[in-house]
Amino acid sequence: MTDATQANSPLSGNVLFYSQPEPLSAEAHGKLGVTPADKPYAFVAQTNVVPLTVTEFAPAALSYPVIFVGDAKQPVAAMGLNAAENLFIEDGDFRPDAYIPAYVRRYPFVFANDDEQKRLVLCIDRAAPFVVEGGETPLFENGQPSGYVNFGMEFCNNFEQERVRSESFVALLKELDLFEVREANYTPRNADGSAGTPQKIAEYFAVSEDKLKALPAEKLAELRDNGALGQIYAHLVSLLGWDRLIAMALTRAAKQQPVAANA
């Protein structure tokens, strides 16, 4: 159950990007609206991973390594090599060739848990810089949620469904014991052109191709028929993107190096 108007519910949950989530209500937010931002995705620039839902694996694989992290094996898009650097955000916006995850596109809206009422409550990040009093697109009209809010509610509902589907997908991979720990490594070149010492840049969970091949034929057919096999292959193909990510990091680092002054 979801609600867009509950103002004083005890909420739980801590969500990436949202620094001041508040239950949306006409009483608290009736005078607010949204105004187009010059740098709409600046809030993504300080993180190198963004959660994905399983149905996003294929489009995301064209831009990022799709990996699994943490004990929960959370699927994420790897967008940088350093914790506070996103290589796909340039001047507050995504590179034009990059897929934008639904997790990002739902901002500034998000669902929060109302533990007492056992439901989800629609919240808005009051700290979002484009949510302002008298904004161009109102949040409420005549005391009722505007079309913008209704769209946000629908988007969050769809996202929640995909999130639950993603949890089921990960649970299936765990049940079949398909995960393994992998590393992404970079081998620099020495001044003389020879290979330097390999450096580990990431450690993550991925589906083991050997374990996948070892599954019984009927289990593989089941994965094929329920769509999981296609998502697994999208994930595996995406891992080729580590080379692109490394190249992007090297290019950015070279641009940021100070230029020596002429003597």
Side-chain angles (χ1 to χ4, degrees):
M1 181 178 180
T2 58
D3 192 350
T5 59
Q6 186 69 21
N8 297 304
S9 300
L11 305 177
S12 65
N14 185 22
V15 188
L16 178 68
F17 301 143
Y18 297 79
S19 59
Q20 192 181 337
E22 298 177 354
L24 191 63
S25 72
E27 292 75 18
H29 308 108
K31 296 181 179 180
L32 300 181
V34 294
T35 297
D38 294 333
K39 300 180 179 181
Y41 295 113
F43 64 93
V44 192
Q46 301 302 313
T47 183
N48 65 332
V49 293
V50 172
L52 290 172
T53 62
V54 65
T55 53
E56 297 181 281
F57 281 18
L62 299 176
S63 301
Y64 322 104
V66 175
I67 61 176
F68 300 85
V69 297
D71 293 338
K73 310 295 192 299
Q74 166 73 51
V76 300
M79 299 185 179
L81 304 182
N82 300 311
E85 181 180 54
N86 192 314
L87 296 170
F88 289 86
I89 301 297
E90 298 176 347
D91 195 27
D93 206 348
F94 270 89
R95 289 167 55 104
D97 60 340
Y99 173 75
I100 303 177
Y103 190 99
V104 172
R105 284 182 278 126
R106 69 176 177 169
Y107 189 82
F109 296 110
V110 66
F111 278 148
N113 293 317
D114 179 349
D115 293 330
E116 288 188 359
Q117 300 294 325
K118 303 298 182 184
R119 62 180 173 181
L120 295 172
V121 175
L122 185 67
C123 296
I124 191 167
D125 187 4
R126 185 62 185 86
F130 50 86
V131 177
V132 296
E133 187 166 340
E136 184 177 312
T137 302
L139 298 182
F140 290 88
E141 296 174 317
N142 299 320
Q144 298 299 315
S146 67
Y148 177 78
V149 169
N150 287 331
F151 177 81
M153 169 70 85
E154 182 180 3
F155 193 97
C156 286
N157 270 318
N158 292 336
F159 181 87
E160 181 66 14
Q161 294 173 15
E162 294 302 325
R163 186 192 65 78
V164 172
R165 184 176 291 115
S166 300
E167 288 184 348
S168 298
F169 173 77
V170 170
L172 177 60
L173 299 188
K174 289 181 179 179
E175 178 185 336
L176 296 174
D177 190 30
L178 291 181
F179 283 114
E180 67 176 1
V181 176
R182 285 202 194 179
E183 294 181 355
N185 296 290
Y186 165 61
T187 303
R189 290 288 175 182
N190 295 320
D192 60 3
S194 61
T197 302
Q199 302 174 10
K200 182 172 74 173
I201 58 175
E203 185 175 277
Y204 57 95
F205 293 102
V207 171
S208 166
E209 294 182 67
D210 291 337
K211 290 182 177 181
L212 184 63
K213 292 175 183 176
L215 288 177
E218 61 271 17
K219 185 56 67 173
L220 281 171
E222 181 181 328
L223 292 176
R224 178 199 64 205
D225 294 342
N226 66 20
L229 193 58
Q231 309 295 2
I232 290 172
Y233 284 143
H235 150 65
L236 291 173
V237 170
S238 80
L239 300 182
L240 298 173
W242 283 114
D243 287 342
R244 180 192 184 199
L245 211 56
I246 292 169
M248 292 173 65
L250 292 174
T251 299
R252 178 172 289 190
K255 290 180 178 179
Q256 292 175 347
Q257 286 182 352
V259 178
N262 292 329

